Amino acid sequence: MSSTPLAPAVGSAINWPSGLVAPDQSWVFERLGLTAVPAESEWPDDLVDVYLTAPEYLFPVASSLVISAEPRLRCWIGAILRQHPRQDLVCALAALNHAAQHPDHAMRYQQQFLSRLRPEVAGTVQAALDGAVDGKPRVFLARQCVLRALRTVLVPDGDQPTVPEPMAAFVRSVDLTTSAVLLVHFVAAQLRSRRSDGESKLGGMPESLAMETIANSLFNGVEDAGSLIARTRLLWHGYDPKLVQPTPRLSPVEMLKEAVGIDLDEVLALGFAYYAYASARRFDSPIRMNPFIGHLIGRDTVETFLSRFAATLDELSEGLRSCTQRWQLLPIQDRPLVRIGDDIVVLDEQYLIDRVTRGLYWLVHDHESEAYGDGARLCWTQVYAKMIELRVEGQLCRLAPPLVGGGSTYFTEEDLQAAFPKSKAVDIGIDFGDATVLAEIVNAQVTVPTRTQCDSDAFKRDVERMVLKKARQLDDTAKNLLRDPQPAKSPLPTPARKVFPIVVHGGAFPVNPATRRYIEEYLGQEKLLDHTDARMQPLALVDLEELELCEALSSARGTSLPAVLAGWQGSPYRGMSLCSYLTQELRVADVGRPADVQAALDRAFAAIAERLGTAWPPPTSSNENDPSSLK
């Protein structure tokens, strides 16, 4: 039972194994997710890898272990669940999830795992890791598989089957950490979806496979914690009531405090404290920590924070039980901390930092709806969209080249409407002389049915409102700026030489070969942004982090935005996110952050340090017998 990517078998039903797209290890991470891909694809080989499954190394030596070689995965999983208390497995899996995101820790666990197996089993594990199964090396731990194993512990699949005694004896012979790794590898073997030959295509892939790819990409999104914290502070504290309409009931930070019960700086301080403890913990230190000690924040404030961002094991189990689809991990995303007595465990570092930064929008959104009705909720969505729009406008303005003798190469929707009064106009344009960048800003979010239910119709609706609607505006403006001659009020003195149309997303949007091809097919059908005109460049989809990287690159190396876009679209990463190209090809890890982002981060950390005090990090678990130390 190999987990390597396969080409479709003609005329038959096939099982597509689930591979993974491994993240880049620099400070800005590759945001593709765990995905199943055909052997012949547009996915660059240096981003694609395959995770390890237990059948690959246990079944070849089944006879020597006196166990059945039949792939009775549920029996193995049931044996592990019965052998260890739920609480212990949750702690062990949280530690493995941390390791899956830190290669040095993952290697330590790999070495430890091999040392605790019988030689013949360890040999087959090493062979699979080395690629002896089919020529494709395996990844020992993958975040997707660990989180799915965590879900399996919290919500076991139905009635547990009878476990044969040889299988139970094998499980009893290994320790907690080894059992947790085995559980991850057995759950990994279950992550297979059946595809039927002849099913509809989406972006050149079987529709169900494409949607699994999209859900994985959204699920596995990773962003630099410092950038998230700085951007959150810029958005929420940089609010200018004179520029934002409609006028909300209160300022954004006041609305947040009303929704959560503590202020933004307290949320960021505690969120970062627990994130930092989990991220920086040593391989052999406990995963559990006492959240109330080692800092200056009062117990009542910590309790308020935990009441919104933490859950008990029973509460998580109950929430997950109502989630029937494979990518539905929303209860963990919503409350990424689990409370065990007076201790907490960070279940997933990225979910935590994301929840206390980007996720704050949803806390206010839901509070406004519940407390003040749909009108207040709608007002908040408009206010937040304007906050994002003002942020992007500022970034693009700084990317505009200066004109000798004064003036501006940056122009707005109002400037375009004055020149072309009967046409649709984009939000922002920049004249770089030999190229013109046109930008549309969108703050719409990918819907839950797309994110967690792999609903292709929902995804198509998301694409329509988040991309295609904006592409029509970009097309109108581009055609106007390519006209010869230009009208007197045009922001360009002569027709554009090249047009780079971009859509800037304030929220996450999955950019990968499947979504890219689907969008390009649709643009071709509607004859939008016509590529037969050599002056029209491909549509680019970028997010706030990527725009910040472009700004930092411009400041550090003088690389213009058109140069970045042209390089990306001419590279092997053209079907991936811009972040893929920036991290893999341009190696942006050393360019730093834009000045305003760095200043906001400095202010945020000053506020965090003031609240936490110099004693941070705190003592570890108050339970001296905590099995999660995993030594």
Side-chain angles (χ1 to χ4, degrees):
M1 181 186 292
S2 170
S3 66
T4 189
L6 301 173
V10 178
S12 63
I14 56 174
N15 284 318
W16 286 88
S18 297
L20 76 127
V21 177
D24 177 64
Q25 300 307 320
S26 61
W27 67 277
V28 179
F29 294 93
E30 166 51 42
R31 256 113 23 104
L32 299 170
L34 298 167
T35 57
V37 298
E40 298 296 328
S41 73
E42 300 173 61
W43 301 80
D45 290 341
D46 60 352
L47 293 181
V48 179
D49 217 328
V50 179
Y51 53 65
L52 183 65
T53 67
E56 290 177 311
Y57 58 80
L58 278 185
F59 294 167
V61 293
S63 59
S64 67
L65 297 177
V66 198
I67 58 175
S68 171
E70 180 186 352
R72 302 169 66 185
L73 302 180
R74 291 183 67 241
C75 289
W76 281 100
I77 291 170
I80 295 170
L81 296 183
R82 291 173 185 173
Q83 180 63 27
H84 300 285
R86 178 180 66 168
Q87 173 180 303
D88 293 355
L89 279 172
V90 166
C91 290
L93 289 169
L96 293 179
N97 191 36
H98 165 82
Q101 301 168 70
H102 297 268
D104 55 334
H105 284 214
M107 180 55 67
R108 292 278 299 274
Y109 277 114
Q110 178 178 315
Q111 293 168 347
Q112 182 186 82
F113 183 71
L114 290 170
S115 71
R116 294 178 178 179
L117 296 175
R118 289 169 53 172
E120 66 271 30
V121 181
T124 58
V125 174
Q126 190 63 62
L129 289 168
D130 293 342
V133 174
D134 49 23
K136 188 71 175 178
R138 301 297 196 257
V139 170
F140 183 69
L141 289 173
R143 177 172 175 247
Q144 177 201 24
C145 303
V146 179
L147 284 173
R148 283 286 295 169
L150 180 62
R151 177 188 168 122
T152 299
V153 171
L154 292 168
V155 187
D157 296 332
D159 296 332
Q160 294 301 305
T162 301
V163 177
E165 177 51 32
M167 188 182 295
F170 179 84
V171 171
R172 287 195 299 269
S173 71
V174 299
D175 64 313
L176 171 64
T177 305
T178 305
S179 290
V181 173
L182 285 168
L183 179 62
V184 170
H185 291 169
F186 275 113
V187 168
Q190 288 186 317
L191 301 185
R192 303 172 67 86
S193 298
R194 190 171 181 80
R195 321 285 180 203
S196 298
D197 185 50
E199 72 173 277
S200 299
K201 297 291 184 69
L202 193 158
M205 301 171 70
E207 190 171 86
S208 55
L209 176 59
M211 288 309 304
E212 184 176 324
T213 300
I214 290 162
N216 268 311
S217 180
L218 291 165
F219 158 83
N220 213 44
V222 178
E223 189 170 341
D224 173 57
S227 295
L228 281 172
I229 291 171
R231 192 180 314 126
T232 299
R233 190 174 180 86
L234 280 169
L235 286 173
W236 292 74
H237 280 295
Y239 167 78
D240 186 343
K242 297 187 295 296
L243 299 177
V244 175
Q245 295 295 328
T247 303
R249 296 186 305 103
L250 302 168
S251 70
V253 289
E254 290 172 318
M255 295 171 76
L256 177 66
K257 185 171 183 178
E258 184 179 296
V260 180
I262 57 178
D263 67 33
L264 174 62
D265 287 341
E266 289 168 333
V267 170
L268 291 177
L270 289 169
F272 175 76
Y274 305 147
Y275 167 87
Y277 176 81
S279 298
R281 64 176 287 273
R282 299 189 311 273
F283 171 78
D284 58 352
S285 62
I287 196 74
R288 288 169 59 167
M289 60 170 289
N290 188 318
F292 299 103
I293 58 179
H295 54 76
L296 303 180
I297 298 177
R299 188 179 185 94
D300 288 347
T301 299
V302 175
E303 284 286 6
T304 301
F305 178 90
L306 295 179
S307 71
R308 187 56 201 82
F309 298 101
T312 65
L313 291 172
D314 286 341
E315 288 169 342
L316 275 181
S317 294
E318 184 62 29
L320 288 167
R321 196 167 286 115
S322 62
C323 299
T324 58
Q325 300 296 323
R326 64 160 49 189
W327 304 120
Q328 286 185 323
L329 291 166
L330 290 180
I332 298 176
Q333 290 174 288
D334 184 46
R335 296 175 183 269
L337 302 171
V338 65
R339 295 193 69 164
I340 302 175
D342 281 337
D343 291 340
I344 62 169
V345 174
V346 177
L347 296 178
D348 187 88
E349 298 157 36
Q350 186 61 33
Y351 282 167
L352 174 58
I353 201 66
D354 194 74
R355 189 55 168 148
V356 299
T357 53
R358 283 186 296 207
L360 299 181
Y361 162 81
W362 291 107
L363 296 179
V364 175
H365 175 279
D366 294 346
H367 176 75
E368 290 297 295
S369 178
E370 294 166 4
Y372 299 101
D374 197 57
R377 177 199 63 79
L378 179 60
C379 178
W380 167 243
T381 63
Q382 294 170 331
V383 167
Y384 192 77
K386 187 61 176 178
M387 291 160 60
I388 294 290
E389 181 180 332
L390 291 171
R391 169 69 185 151
V392 174
E393 287 175 355
Q395 290 178 275
L396 291 172
C397 187
R398 289 188 293 273
L399 283 166
L403 278 178
V404 177
S408 176
T409 55
Y410 174 92
F411 51 93
T412 66
E413 181 178 359
E414 290 73 25
D415 297 325
L416 289 165
Q417 287 173 336
F420 309 101
K422 296 182 180 180
S423 300
K424 296 176 183 177
V426 299
D427 294 322
I428 300 297
I430 306 175
D431 178 12
F432 287 86
D434 59 348
T436 301
V437 172
L438 300 178
E440 268 292 293
I441 306 167
V442 57
N443 190 47
Q445 305 284 330
V446 174
T447 55
V448 171
T450 295
R451 183 181 295 273
T452 66
Q453 299 172 19
C454 295
D455 187 322
S456 60
D457 290 334
F459 170 70
K460 292 171 184 177
R461 290 191 295 269
D462 288 341
V463 172
E464 168 61 34
R465 64 191 176 86
M466 297 178 71
V467 179
L468 301 177
K469 180 180 177 181
K470 302 299 182 181
R472 297 184 188 101
Q473 292 176 257
L474 288 162
D475 184 72
D476 270 13
T477 299
K479 287 176 178 175
N480 283 332
L481 294 178
L482 290 169
R483 285 163 42 185
D484 190 6
Q486 287 289 288
K489 293 184 179 181
S490 172
L492 301 183
T494 59
R497 299 180 187 179
K498 281 187 177 181
V499 174
F500 287 87
I502 66 173
V503 174
V504 183
H505 287 105
F509 185 85
V511 179
N512 57 52
T515 58
R516 164 62 66 186
R517 184 177 294 182
Y518 173 74
I519 291 168
E520 289 176 348
E521 289 172 352
Y522 197 98
L523 295 177
Q525 292 170 8
E526 285 205 6
K527 295 182 171 56
L528 297 173
L529 306 173
D530 184 9
H531 292 176
T532 62
D533 186 336
R535 298 171 297 175
M536 186 71 74
Q537 305 305 298
L539 176 64
L541 307 178
V542 303
D543 63 21
L544 298 183
E545 181 195 18
E546 291 165 339
L547 207 55
E548 288 168 2
L549 288 172
C550 290
E551 189 179 349
L553 199 60
S554 175
S555 297
R557 301 180 188 168
T559 310
S560 71
L561 182 56
V564 171
L565 296 174
W568 171 33
Q569 291 163 350
S571 77
Y573 302 94
R574 59 186 174 274
M576 307 295 200
S577 67
L578 175 56
C579 194
S580 309
Y581 171 70
L582 293 172
T583 55
Q584 299 289 334
E585 293 271 299
L586 296 190
R587 306 297 177 185
V588 295
D590 62 344
V591 301
R593 297 184 172 91
D596 67 331
V597 175
Q598 186 60 55
L601 185 59
D602 293 341
R603 290 192 295 272
F605 278 137
I608 289 171
E610 179 183 354
R611 284 158 177 77
L612 297 180
T614 57
W616 190 263
T620 55
S621 171
S622 59
N623 180 0
E624 294 181 356
N625 298 316
D626 178 10
S628 66
S629 61
L630 302 176
K631 294 182 180 180

